[in-house]
Amino acid sequence: MTSTTPRPGGRDGQPDAVTDRSGAVLSRLQLLVTRKLDGLLQGDYAGLLPGPGSEAGESREYRPGDDVRRMDWPVTARTTTPHVRRTVADRELETWLAVDLSASLDFGTGRWLKRDVVIAAATAITHLTVRGGNRIGAVVGSGGDLPPRPRRWGRRAVPASDPGRLVRLPARSGRREAQGMLRAIAATEIRPGRGDLGALVEMLNRPPRRRGVAVIISDFLAPPAQWSRPLRKLRVRHDVLAIEVVDPRELELPDVGVLPVIDPETGELHEVQTADPSLRHRYAAAAASQRAEISAALRSAGAGHLRLRTDRDWLLDMVRFVAAQRHARTRGTMR
């Protein structure tokens, strides 16, 4: 299905014009993210995904739901009351983004295209990461059989492990380097053809790295069998956050008569009679089943799950998610 929403500037503009527009959009995004996230998430920095961490902290009494593997047996023996050892989230982490920019993301019927929400989410995650002095890198996947135009980030050329599909941007620290990474992501051209989300996630497993944070931003429309196994493997060593980008038309069809829809990955055109209530009902049921399957696969892999929609305030949803994670940490519970 493709969007009827016009894309700013179109695809026929010159590369320099596209780059200028991407820079302007990123500047506005960064200003918005800085104002809202810093205003609503005040307090000491403790990481994007406040998991158990590895630095020992103080002990406290055991509460239902606490991980029994963190029992502090010496304190429990002295006080005769069960205690668990609290741990502090690591402050110097390496965060990696897996950014899916396959053809299915070039669609949107809400306030934004799904691609715009993907880039916005990457901007917010980058801001949360670099403000703590951490390193951040990215792997970017796009469809298409033609090799992309060579792009440069900083002083080094960006290597492509699979021409036209997968690109790795090395992890670096500092706001300037992070902005360069975001510009490279925003300048990625979406090409027709099917992307490989499993291969994109697998790029985060190679080479093996010390414990950190991995964030996968995608619509996860690829079959879970393609990406669930690499995701479980990734979760063994890292805290994983899956950001699912959804458009309302992917959940239900409007009653607008005959609706021509195009599969952006294959180019196939179909005409759907949306005036048929039984068809709309079957579509909504199939979409709900698909999203439930995605949620179950992410939950089974042990990944945090954040769903962003093109017709909602994506930044507010991110703020609520991070705040909920911080609240869970203060209560000593696992997500």
Side-chain angles (χ1 to χ4, degrees):
M1 190 183 299
T2 56
S3 171
T4 58
T5 305
R7 191 167 174 178
R11 290 190 174 188
D12 299 329
Q14 298 300 319
D16 290 342
V18 173
T19 302
D20 292 342
R21 284 197 303 273
S22 299
V25 170
L26 283 175
S27 296
R28 291 194 297 270
L29 273 175
Q30 288 168 348
L31 180 60
L32 176 65
V33 167
T34 300
R35 286 178 175 176
K36 183 162 286 190
L37 287 184
D38 284 348
L40 298 180
L41 296 177
Q42 296 291 344
D44 294 335
Y45 171 81
L48 172 66
L49 283 180
S54 59
E55 182 180 345
E58 298 179 351
S59 294
R60 61 165 177 77
E61 290 188 9
Y62 172 86
R63 298 172 188 154
D66 286 342
D67 190 345
V68 296
R69 292 174 296 181
R70 303 190 182 281
M71 292 294 295
D72 191 336
W73 296 113
V75 175
T76 299
R78 290 197 305 269
T79 62
T80 68
T81 302
H83 278 69
V84 292
R85 172 70 67 177
R86 300 182 63 180
T87 52
V88 181
D90 300 321
R91 292 180 179 271
E92 293 183 359
L93 295 177
E94 185 171 276
T95 298
W96 279 89
L97 305 177
V99 183
D100 180 12
L101 289 176
S102 56
S104 64
L105 274 299
D106 200 13
F107 168 73
T109 62
R111 299 164 63 183
W112 304 278
L113 297 179
K114 290 199 294 182
R115 171 195 172 97
D116 299 333
V117 177
V118 167
I119 295 175
T123 302
I125 297 297
T126 299
H127 172 75
L128 287 170
T129 299
V130 299
R131 71 174 185 164
N134 297 329
R135 295 185 301 277
I136 186 167
V139 294
V140 185
S142 62
D145 298 322
L146 299 176
R149 292 188 298 270
R151 304 188 186 278
R152 298 187 67 86
W153 176 41
R155 299 181 180 178
R156 300 181 183 178
V158 177
S161 60
D162 185 2
R165 296 184 183 275
L166 303 176
V167 174
R168 187 188 302 273
L169 306 175
R172 297 171 182 169
S173 59
R175 293 186 180 274
R176 183 175 180 181
E177 299 293 340
Q179 290 173 357
M181 181 195 71
L182 290 173
R183 285 194 297 270
I185 293 174
T188 299
E189 181 180 357
I190 291 182
R191 298 173 178 271
R194 296 195 180 278
D196 190 339
L197 182 58
L200 182 66
V201 175
E202 185 61 33
M203 284 188 70
L204 298 182
N205 287 315
R206 301 192 307 265
R209 302 177 181 87
R210 68 184 182 91
R211 182 176 174 84
V213 176
V215 182
I216 297 92
I217 311 175
S218 173
D219 55 11
F220 290 94
L221 290 182
Q226 181 190 103
W227 48 261
S228 58
R229 184 174 180 179
L231 191 64
R232 289 194 297 268
K233 180 180 177 182
L234 185 66
R235 181 63 182 86
V236 172
R237 294 181 59 88
H238 306 284
D239 287 327
V240 178
L241 170 61
I243 299 181
E244 179 189 5
V245 180
V246 180
D247 186 84
R249 293 289 76 82
E250 294 172 335
L251 304 177
E252 59 183 7
L253 288 175
D255 184 359
V256 293
V258 177
L259 178 67
V261 295
I262 300 175
D263 185 336
E265 295 187 342
T266 64
E268 295 180 0
L269 173 63
H270 303 274
E271 291 187 348
V272 179
Q273 177 53 268
T274 62
D276 182 356
S278 64
L279 183 143
R280 296 198 306 272
H281 177 75
R282 294 196 305 271
Y283 181 92
S289 175
Q290 180 189 43
R291 296 298 166 180
E293 184 181 7
I294 293 171
S295 297
L298 294 175
R299 185 168 55 252
S300 176
H305 184 196
L306 168 61
R307 179 174 292 172
L308 302 180
R309 293 175 52 126
T310 61
D311 60 342
R312 291 180 48 173
D313 187 342
W314 58 267
L315 187 52
L316 181 58
D317 288 340
M318 293 197 72
V319 168
R320 288 171 174 167
F321 176 82
V322 176
Q325 294 293 306
R326 293 179 59 179
H327 180 65
R329 182 186 70 244
T330 59
R331 293 181 58 191
T333 59
M334 301 292 290
R335 65 178 184 278

